[in-house]
Amino acid sequence: ALLAANLLPLVAVLNGQWTLFAVMYLYWAENGIVGGYNVLKMALARGRGASAGSKLVMIPFFIVHYGIFWFVHGVFVFVLFGERGMRGFQLGQLALVPPTLWGALRLLLLSHGTSFINNYLARQEYQRATLEQLMQQPYSRVLILHVVVLAGGFVVMFLGQPLPALVLLIVLKTGFDLRAHLREHGRLEPAAGVRRA
């Protein structure tokens, strides 16, 4: 599902349908999806220290902290890669999804939802997940992608958005995303010899 979700931007770029801004917007929106699913994970976590009282403190803290991080990232995407730059930027733009990206956003929701159901629920990762782990997971994943995507975006913009550079950006992001996904779920695997409930 992860590879399929990352394949759509590649196809759209190769067909000339998406610009650099469309790709950057999609990756920013995906970070919001990651944060949303992480709130669900925290609410369902049953690992060490995941009491109801801890959740009442940690979940709102995560929403505010991650939300600010995500919001600032979105402003950077619009100001640095949007057609109008700083002069044409308005906060309301962050809530307006470009019509050409709705299908890709649905696919990303499905991809992360599939992972949530198959890994977190069906494989009972929630039984082992702690609130501390879940607080860190999105940042360890998103920060690397944030650096790769922004740095790659600057290179693509500097080169005048040539097709090979855009394709390379998407391929790099997909590779980092897959690696982070495997590491994330590897940490929540039961120890050898421990039976699943």
Side-chain angles (χ1 to χ4, degrees), residues 36-46 55 115-116 120 125-126 129 131 134 137 184-185:
Y37 276 112
N38 200 59
V39 170
L40 287 176
K41 289 179 180 181
M42 292 177 77
L44 297 173
R46 293 186 184 175
K55 291 178 184 181
S115 175
F116 175 75
Y120 199 72
E125 289 180 351
Y126 65 90
L131 294 178
L134 295 172
Q137 269 184 3
E184 174 183 315
H185 295 292

Side-chain angles (χ1 to χ4, degrees), residues 3-173:
L3 291 174
N6 280 281
L7 184 62
L8 183 59
L10 182 60
V11 172
V13 163
L14 289 173
N15 288 339
Q17 297 174 330
W18 285 10
T19 62
L20 172 61
F21 172 73
V23 173
M24 300 299 281
Y25 181 96
L26 183 68
Y27 291 159
W28 167 70
E30 182 180 14
N31 289 343
I33 293 170
V34 168
Y37 276 112
N38 200 59
V39 170
L40 287 176
K41 289 179 180 181
M42 292 177 77
L44 297 173
R46 293 186 184 175
R48 179 176 44 84
S51 65
S54 297
K55 291 178 184 181
L56 282 174
V57 174
M58 298 283 278
I59 291 175
F61 177 78
F62 171 79
I63 291 172
V64 172
H65 194 271
Y66 188 85
I68 291 171
F69 169 80
W70 183 64
F71 173 80
V72 172
H73 183 182
V75 172
F76 272 111
V77 167
F78 274 87
V79 170
L80 297 175
F81 303 105
E83 294 179 4
R84 299 179 183 176
M86 177 73 79
R87 293 180 180 178
F89 174 72
Q90 296 177 347
L91 289 178
Q93 291 176 313
L94 294 172
L96 298 175
V97 178
T100 56
L101 298 183
W102 274 113
L105 282 174
R106 290 188 189 103
L107 192 56
L108 284 172
L109 274 168
L110 180 62
S111 168
H112 288 281
T114 299
S115 175
F116 175 75
I117 293 169
N118 289 344
N119 294 297
Y120 199 72
L121 298 181
R123 297 174 69 183
Q124 298 185 1
E125 289 180 351
Y126 65 90
Q127 297 281 10
R128 300 174 293 279
T130 67
L131 294 178
E132 290 77 14
Q133 284 177 321
L134 295 172
M135 278 288 294
Q136 296 173 6
Q137 269 184 3
Y139 293 103
S140 60
R141 180 175 185 164
V142 169
L143 280 174
I144 294 173
L145 291 176
H146 183 75
V147 171
V148 170
V149 169
L150 280 181
F154 278 121
V155 171
V156 172
M157 188 169 61
F158 177 75
L159 296 175
Q161 301 193 41
L163 183 61
L166 264 173
V167 170
L168 180 61
L169 171 62
I170 294 169
V171 170
L172 280 173
K173 186 267 181 187

